[in-house]
Amino acid sequence: MAAMIRRLAFAASLLMAACSQGDAPPQVDTSQYGAGANWETTGGDWAGSHFSRLGGITKDNVGELGLAWEYDLGTARVQESTPVVIDGIMYASGNLGRVYALNAVTGEELWTFVPEMDMQVVRSACCDWANRGLAVSGDKVLVAALDGTLYALNRQTGGIEWQADTIVDKERGYTVTGAPEVAGDVVVIGNAGGEYDTRGYVTAYNLADGSEAWRFWTVPRDPALGEQESEALDAALSTWSEDSRWDIGGGGTVWDAINYDPVFDQVLIGVGNGGPYPQAIRSPGGGDNLYLNSVVALDRATGEMKWHFQETPQDNWDLTATQPMTLAEIDVGGGEKRPVVLHTPKNGFFFVIDRETGRALAANPIVRTTWASGWNLETQRPVLTPEVSDYTSKPQIVFPGSPGARNWYPAAYDPGRNLYFAHVLDMGNLMFLPGPVDNVPHEKNFMNAGAAIIFTPDLEAAAATLPPPVRAAVEAHPAWQWVKDQPYSSQLRAIDPMTGETKWSVDSMGWQDRQGVLATQTGVIFHGNLAGRLFARDAETGEELWHVDTGSTIMAAPMTYEVDGMQYVAVQTGWGGGGWGFVPPYAAAYSKGNANRLLVFRLGGGAVRVPDDLPALEPAPVPPAQAPGVTPQMIAEGGVLFTTNCTMCHSNQPRAPLPDLRRMQPGVHAGFEQIVLGGLLVPRGMPKWDDRLTPEQVRAIHAYLIDLQGKLRTRELDLQRRGLPLDTQALTILSSY
């Protein structure tokens, strides 16, 4: 009887969410789960389910899919967004915050929007120029640009109705890469930059005019500056050390997951990692460091915190909670259904969190973990294992690695089958401190990650290059055998939310292969891969039902919609995001280039145009002679400066999205100082560095690159003479993903 009363009460709350007016929860019909003819949000529906109720495409006829139309997005960078379709019009966002309005049946361009910005901002973008979606509300299309400007565009014309600068401090490394979330009469947006020198927050703006409604800070401010901005921060302050590095910021950026929950009229946010990563620098003496790596529920009307659930206390490892959230009502045992958040953050656990209370009802590992040995539902805390994960005094192999068991690529939830379809990466990384933890300088508007990272697929090869004491510690670590036996696995999985058990799995191409997912009521799962294949699979078994070669790398989640009785499937293509400078050889972006496209399919459609292969690599051009006075010491200094300042973008790898600076042409060499210090190419996305580098340092970097180019040319000419390919890549050693 008690369970029946709770179910009736929950049903009543759904009805209230659907029918209320005014100051009460806004009108959202939660009686339907999954998207119908329209795909109204980046996640398809109010729940962010990436699930469709449409029945036109089935297991029996999916093999008849062909291209309906394609649209050239006009760029060659990252595409992580899922389009929105409402009443036959598609609204898609692209990198930097571009917007495209298209006829959803023909692909005819109705209007486009390109945000104006000072491209110097890209120096604060750790993980490419990504944009993860837009929102549509009434007569407005809402999108956030990389520079933090939130735009409300006229839905008919694309003209700017209003714009708001969401960045509170231009002297720090803030950017915006996530999708705005509409919550009644406000729109909520967070920011990125946890690896830089930021203090995270989310802001709600009034839809009518863009005025600020409220702001919630996720990390306390320096108590010396006065009172905290909220009672929630007063409570959080005791979880931070008195010696915390408030000057650096603390991190906690909300760079992706924001969901409006109409049942409880609350905004759910996923909070990011600490900055710097090592707690010994960020908050000496420890503490949980609220609200880092937490799911936080905020009152829609006031922005006040209702509850929080910290998924990774005492963060030391970049295990963010910013990964996409899915709202659902599921059986949590004994026939009782509860409103929950399904969440698979970076830290390797699958959480089922009660949306009313904020308590975890299930917390099961889906990958290998060394930072914690399990989760205690009674205490609502993980069982931490600092003896094998705290790298303050010695190197540690940490599972999962900073790319996370899950990341930005959306999962899909099928309520009828009670299955959660998601790409899962079971991989670790070596973490160690590159220097002492005391008196670490604040690098203004720049990287302050504070830890060195080597991913486990490269660790066995890299171990031989480590200093002997470090290598000895690595090979003595309990997880070293994991590294040797299985450095990673990368899979698409169908997972039971309450148990974390995998019903079926399909191996991906490699650890860099990651994909968003679409699920349909007819039991068809859609996803792409880096090689440019779009797949349809059986939801019950994972068996391949259909695929098409597109020749364009696919990471973003597909979506589906219906116009005039015809069902379509659409996906955006393009390589990028974290680790974007290291394009794996199996990616279409490596062999065919990274022209970004929007591909739309229907039953009875035609063939897909596959781009031609790129020409073979040619030996590096002849470098200029070194300038007078260049010494080996100067070249070595240039190498250190290049690694510190430039390698985040210039990976110097074959076919990388940005130029391989070992292959510079004479004109670039001639203008090198003007480019780096004078900002000659800022409009094209090459920022200037006159605030961090002196002319002498730039000349040292140039000397280093000239030396590299000469050595590369000699090596490649030898390979060419021997008839060997020139495609060789370095170990993927980087500190972001």
Side-chain angles (χ1 to χ4, degrees), residues 328-548:
E329 181 190 4
I330 71 170
D331 187 335
V332 297
E336 180 184 13
K337 287 195 171 183
R338 290 295 298 164
V340 298
V341 180
L342 305 179
H343 199 215
T344 48
K346 278 189 179 185
N347 75 10
F349 286 85
F350 193 138
F351 295 99
V352 179
I353 306 168
D354 192 299
R355 301 200 325 257
E356 184 176 20
T357 67
R359 288 184 64 82
L361 305 177
N364 293 293
I366 55 175
V367 297
R368 296 168 289 179
T369 64
T370 60
W371 71 274
S373 61
W375 194 275
N376 188 323
L377 290 177
E378 186 173 330
T379 63
Q380 294 284 290
R381 293 182 63 84
V383 181
L384 296 173
T385 52
E387 65 276 8
V388 292
S389 61
D390 182 357
Y391 53 92
T392 304
S393 59
K394 62 179 180 180
Q396 301 279 14
I397 300 172
V398 181
F399 280 80
S402 62
R406 295 268 304 122
N407 210 297
W408 63 265
Y409 26 86
Y413 176 65
D414 182 331
R417 294 174 175 83
N418 190 34
L419 286 175
Y420 182 89
F421 303 97
H423 178 265
V424 177
L425 177 61
D426 185 353
M427 183 181 83
N429 46 218
L430 174 68
M431 301 190 78
F432 58 94
L433 295 171
V437 297
D438 299 324
N439 302 314
V440 174
H442 168 202
E443 301 287 352
K444 294 184 178 180
N445 195 12
F446 199 64
M447 290 286 289
N448 285 270
I453 292 174
I454 304 175
F455 298 150
T456 50
D458 292 327
L459 184 52
E460 196 166 9
T465 69
L466 298 173
V470 176
R471 180 178 182 179
V474 169
E475 294 181 349
H477 194 279
W480 179 244
Q481 196 63 43
W482 284 357
V483 175
K484 294 194 296 182
D485 292 346
Q486 188 184 41
Y488 78 92
S489 74
S490 178
Q491 296 176 323
L492 177 70
R493 298 185 190 174
I495 306 172
D496 181 301
M498 285 300 294
T499 66
E501 294 178 357
T502 296
K503 181 175 181 179
W504 56 257
S505 64
V506 176
D507 288 339
S508 301
M509 299 188 70
W511 69 264
Q512 288 166 284
D513 195 8
R514 63 260 202 188
Q515 57 268 163
V517 187
L518 163 66
T520 71
Q521 188 167 283
T522 58
V524 181
I525 304 300
F526 290 93
H527 72 92
N529 70 7
L530 295 195
R533 286 187 169 186
L534 180 64
F535 292 91
R537 296 189 183 277
D538 189 315
E540 301 289 347
T541 65
E543 177 187 359
E544 182 182 321
L545 302 172
W546 167 86
H547 82 262
V548 62

Side-chain angles (χ1 to χ4, degrees), residues 424-729:
V424 177
L425 177 61
D426 185 353
M427 183 181 83
N429 46 218
L430 174 68
M431 301 190 78
F432 58 94
L433 295 171
V437 297
D438 299 324
N439 302 314
V440 174
H442 168 202
E443 301 287 352
K444 294 184 178 180
N445 195 12
F446 199 64
M447 290 286 289
N448 285 270
I453 292 174
I454 304 175
F455 298 150
T456 50
D458 292 327
L459 184 52
E460 196 166 9
T465 69
L466 298 173
V470 176
R471 180 178 182 179
V474 169
E475 294 181 349
H477 194 279
W480 179 244
Q481 196 63 43
W482 284 357
V483 175
K484 294 194 296 182
D485 292 346
Q486 188 184 41
Y488 78 92
S489 74
S490 178
Q491 296 176 323
L492 177 70
R493 298 185 190 174
I495 306 172
D496 181 301
M498 285 300 294
T499 66
E501 294 178 357
T502 296
K503 181 175 181 179
W504 56 257
S505 64
V506 176
D507 288 339
S508 301
M509 299 188 70
W511 69 264
Q512 288 166 284
D513 195 8
R514 63 260 202 188
Q515 57 268 163
V517 187
L518 163 66
T520 71
Q521 188 167 283
T522 58
V524 181
I525 304 300
F526 290 93
H527 72 92
N529 70 7
L530 295 195
R533 286 187 169 186
L534 180 64
F535 292 91
R537 296 189 183 277
D538 189 315
E540 301 289 347
T541 65
E543 177 187 359
E544 182 182 321
L545 302 172
W546 167 86
H547 82 262
V548 62
D549 288 307
T550 71
S552 297
T553 286
I554 301 171
M555 304 186 303
M559 52 82 74
T560 187
Y561 60 94
E562 183 179 276
V563 181
D564 296 331
M566 176 64 73
Q567 185 177 349
Y568 299 82
V569 174
V571 68
Q572 291 178 219
T573 75
W575 160 260
W580 53 281
F582 293 79
V583 190
Y586 56 78
Y590 188 90
S591 58
K592 296 179 178 297
N594 200 30
N596 299 163
R597 306 155 75 190
L598 204 163
L599 302 174
V600 181
F601 300 85
R602 65 171 175 83
L603 298 176
V608 178
R609 177 184 61 85
V610 176
D612 294 333
D613 284 346
L614 295 173
L617 290 174
E618 293 291 333
V622 178
Q626 293 283 13
V630 169
T631 64
Q633 181 180 359
M634 182 177 176
I635 292 172
E637 179 192 359
V640 172
L641 289 166
F642 183 82
T643 300
T644 303
N645 294 281
C646 312
T647 53
M648 177 59 68
C649 296
H650 290 284
S651 62
N652 284 356
Q653 298 295 296
R655 308 275 169 81
L658 286 190
D660 181 343
L661 298 184
R662 304 169 303 171
R663 300 176 183 276
M664 286 188 285
Q665 298 293 334
V668 179
H669 280 292
F672 190 83
E673 191 167 332
Q674 191 176 1
I675 292 169
V676 177
L677 294 179
L680 181 64
L681 299 181
V682 167
R684 292 170 55 183
M686 168 59 199
K688 59 181 179 178
W689 294 82
D690 57 336
D691 61 325
R692 281 188 61 87
L693 298 172
T694 66
E696 292 76 15
Q697 289 175 321
V698 171
R699 286 192 281 273
I701 292 172
H702 194 197
Y704 166 72
L705 292 172
I706 289 171
D707 183 67
L708 271 188
Q709 185 165 336
K711 292 174 179 176
L712 179 67
R713 177 172 172 80
T714 298
R715 178 177 178 277
E716 291 186 332
L717 287 173
D718 179 61
L719 289 172
Q720 189 179 60
R721 279 192 295 270
R722 292 189 285 152
L724 299 175
L726 308 186
D727 305 58
T728 57
Q729 295 193 331

